[in-house]
């Protein structure tokens, strides 16, 4: 399984990478949504994308809107990982095409439980 | 060889006494578990050590006893814990039970409900899948502090991040400061009371569905049987009991329930 991570915080990227790798994902990470988006445009494929909301350049919300509008990665699950905690923001992200929404701070068991909701399973479960 | 310390003697007494009250048996070889859990009680109630804690309990201090029970009974839980069980409930278990309850109120009991994630998950599912359904969820836990928290309907971010799909969070919760409060109309479907599974009585049934997950594994054989007998009285014939995924091998006393299985879960049907 392949995952991409977009977050402007190096610490968050490392934490998410480590958590996903423990869940057997092959991870590619990006410091912003623009470079993650460009990677997808150039043929990159992933089963899962974790994207922060607030980043320099393209926001996570714009990333989700664009990817969903283009329809070339419909099989890819999009998960917003953000410090935005208002239910209205959450609803906006979901209505824009996010499959799930995780509020920071992220803990590994919480992320895993969100991925289980999307249908990901691990044999030790 | 040295004589056991006062603390060791008192810990052994507490271990026996609390096992009698809660059914939770802490193995002899895990004194650290007990003293670790009780350490929080000592600090919270400014007690001078295990000996004083034991004296307070022997002296009838119900506040300290309640706190000790709180500390000893495990509270690990989350919304929609064990997705396979919930998927089965949504697609197979509940449709059959709800159909069987046509023309009357559907009743469920979340036994050992901890801080309320399980009964609220069930209430959300019922309200979403069967709008307009008359239903009631009784929710009990042995720990008074836990029930008190559950009644507030308030959950920190860490809790709503775990197990709860974002769509449900957005629909059923409002943010209040740093926490999330469940919508009052959902909270009103859940009726919380303090109750021990080892005691008779309990919430008014009979129930179509009882969820009792990850509790029986902590009980000794005798208490387990008592819990099953109490449950049997509360479940409607044809009603079901869902145990935890780690509890599929626990056999109830003969004649009360039959076991049924689907691919990833199993449940007990009241005969």
């Amino acid at each position: 399984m392949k995952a991409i991570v977009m977050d402007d915080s190096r610490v968050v990227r490392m934490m998410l990478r480590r958590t996903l790798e423990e869940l057997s994902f092959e991870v590619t990470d990006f410091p912003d949504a623009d470079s993650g988006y460009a990677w997808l445009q150039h043929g990159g494929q992933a089963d899962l994308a974790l994207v922060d909301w607030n980043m320099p350049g393209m926001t996570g919300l714009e990333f989700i809107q664009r990817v969903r509008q283009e329809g070339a990665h419909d099989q890819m699950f999009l998960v917003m990982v953000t410090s935005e905690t208002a239910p209205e923001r959450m609803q906006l992200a979901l209505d824009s095409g996010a499959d799930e929404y995780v509020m920071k701070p992220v803990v590994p068991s919480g992320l895993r439980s969100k991925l289980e909701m999307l249908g990901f399973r691990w044999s030790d479960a | 060889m040295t004589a056991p310390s006062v603390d060791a003697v008192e810990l052994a007494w507490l271990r026996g006494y609390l096992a009698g009250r809660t059914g939770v048996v802490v193995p002899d070889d895990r004194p650290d578990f007990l003293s670790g859990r009780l350490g929080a009680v000592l600090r919270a109630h400014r007690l001078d050590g295990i000996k004083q804690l034991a004296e307070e309990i022997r002296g009838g201090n119900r506040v300290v006893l309640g706190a000790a029970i709180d500390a000893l009974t495990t509270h690990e839980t989350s919304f929609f814990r064990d997705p396979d069980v919930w998927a089965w409930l949504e697609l197979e278990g509940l449709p059959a039970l709800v159909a069987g309850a046509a023309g009357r109120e559907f009743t469920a009991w979340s036994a050992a409900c901890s801080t309320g994630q399980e009964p609220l998950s069930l209430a959300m599912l019922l309200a979403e899948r069967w709008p307009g359904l008359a239903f009631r969820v009784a929710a009990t836990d042995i720990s008074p502090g836990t029930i008190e928290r559950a009644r507030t309907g308030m959950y920190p971010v860490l809790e709503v991040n775990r197990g709860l799909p974002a769509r449900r969070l957005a629909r059923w919760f409002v943010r209040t400061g740093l926490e999330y409060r469940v919508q009052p109309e959902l909270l009103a479907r859940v009726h919380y009371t303090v109750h021990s599974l080892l005691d008779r009585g309990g919430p008014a049934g009979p129930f179509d569905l009882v969820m009792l997950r990850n509790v029986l594994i902590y009980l000794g054989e005798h208490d387990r049987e008592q819990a099953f007998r109490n449950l049997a009285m509360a479940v409607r014939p044809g009603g079901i009991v869902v145990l935890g995924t780690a509890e599929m091998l626990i056999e109830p006393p003969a004649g009360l329930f039959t076991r049924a299985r689907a691919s990833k879960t199993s449940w007990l049907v009241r005969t």
Side-chain angles (χ1 to χ4, degrees):
Chain A
M1 293 183 294
K2 289 186 177 172
I4 56 174
V5 170
M6 287 152 278
D7 198 299
D8 55 337
S9 155
R10 199 172 66 88
V11 175
V12 172
R13 283 202 305 279
M14 281 177 59
M15 184 271 166
L16 292 175
R17 169 185 277 277
R18 201 173 316 132
T19 303
L20 288 171
E21 283 174 349
E22 273 174 24
L23 295 171
S24 335
F25 282 95
E26 191 184 305
V27 182
T28 310
D29 65 51
F30 304 95
D32 51 56
D34 290 287
S35 47
Y37 183 73
W39 182 82
L40 289 173
Q41 293 291 88
H42 288 93
Q45 296 282 339
D47 306 290
L48 171 71
L50 303 187
V51 59
D52 186 16
W53 190 312
N54 300 302
M55 288 179 285
M58 189 191 297
T59 66
L61 188 67
E62 286 162 354
F63 172 87
I64 286 170
Q65 287 166 339
R66 284 210 208 173
V67 169
R68 283 296 179 240
Q69 273 160 21
E70 285 161 10
H73 294 273
D74 281 348
Q75 86 301 339
M76 179 170 69
F77 288 104
L78 299 178
V79 177
M80 187 74 97
V81 180
T82 173
S83 43
E84 296 278 348
T85 57
E88 310 81 64
R89 302 287 272 176
M90 200 173 294
Q91 193 62 56
L92 175 60
L94 295 168
D95 291 344
S96 301
D99 296 294
E100 258 305 334
Y101 192 102
V102 180
M103 288 176 284
K104 292 177 184 174
V106 180
V107 295
S109 61
L111 181 60
R112 177 180 170 135
S113 112
K114 288 284 185 177
L115 297 180
E116 281 177 342
M117 278 174 225
L118 298 177
F120 290 99
R121 290 288 184 278
W122 296 270
S123 52
D124 64 32
Chain B
M1 192 176 142
T2 54
S5 69
V6 172
D7 274 5
V9 170
E10 294 290 15
L11 261 183
W13 178 81
L14 280 165
R15 176 176 169 274
Y17 182 76
L18 293 173
R21 293 297 300 248
T22 66
V24 174
V25 180
V26 179
D28 274 334
D29 58 356
R30 291 184 64 194
D32 292 350
F33 172 84
L34 188 59
S35 55
R37 290 272 175 124
L38 294 178
V41 179
L42 300 183
R43 289 187 292 277
H45 294 271
R46 302 181 185 285
L47 299 173
D48 200 23
I50 292 294
K51 181 163 183 287
Q52 198 191 347
L53 173 69
E55 281 166 358
E56 291 292 330
I57 289 175
R58 280 194 292 264
N61 186 331
R62 297 190 62 83
V63 175
V64 169
L65 173 62
I69 291 174
D70 279 353
L72 196 56
T73 49
T74 47
H75 299 140
E76 194 195 321
T77 182
S78 76
F79 288 100
F80 296 97
R81 185 173 183 195
D82 296 327
D84 292 331
V85 171
W86 288 97
W88 174 80
L89 274 173
E90 178 167 8
L91 299 175
E92 292 175 46
L94 285 172
L97 291 171
V98 168
R104 60 169 174 81
E105 186 181 47
F106 177 82
T107 52
W109 177 15
S110 166
C113 67
S114 189
T115 39
Q117 286 86 338
E118 182 180 85
L120 286 172
S121 299
L122 187 59
M124 272 181 241
L125 189 53
L126 289 167
E128 288 170 11
R129 282 281 313 238
W130 293 275
L133 175 74
F135 74 87
R136 161 171 68 87
V137 181
T140 62
D141 198 276
I142 191 174
S143 149
T146 301
I147 286 295
E148 203 175 305
R149 266 188 61 202
R151 282 186 179 133
T152 66
M154 298 285 288
Y155 296 90
V157 170
L158 215 58
E159 277 301 314
V160 294
N161 245 348
R162 195 191 300 279
L164 191 62
R167 261 181 213 292
R168 288 191 164 131
L169 178 58
R171 169 159 178 194
W172 293 110
F173 291 78
V174 288
R175 196 176 59 163
T176 311
L178 290 174
E179 299 203 310
Y180 290 79
R181 181 194 296 277
V182 69
Q183 301 274 7
E185 74 260 29
L186 194 71
L187 191 58
R189 310 301 284 269
V190 179
H191 303 269
Y192 289 108
T193 48
V194 177
H195 172 68
S196 162
L197 291 166
L198 303 182
D199 294 339
R200 288 174 184 244
F207 295 100
D208 296 292
L209 167 66
V210 176
M211 300 191 69
L212 175 61
R213 299 191 299 157
N214 310 308
V215 174
L216 295 179
I217 41 171
Y218 295 107
L219 299 185
E221 203 167 320
H222 174 78
D223 289 339
R224 206 178 266 180
E225 179 166 335
Q226 186 59 51
F228 271 124
R229 294 197 182 283
N230 292 341
L231 271 183
M233 287 191 281
V235 183
R236 192 184 288 282
I240 71 170
V241 177
V242 176
L243 301 179
T245 45
E247 299 171 318
M248 290 189 191
L249 296 175
I250 295 178
E251 280 303 325
L256 301 177
F257 298 93
T258 54
R259 187 179 294 275
R261 285 174 203 281
S263 60
K264 286 177 183 160
T265 185
S266 88
W267 61 97
L268 302 173
V269 183
R270 178 75 172 102
T271 46

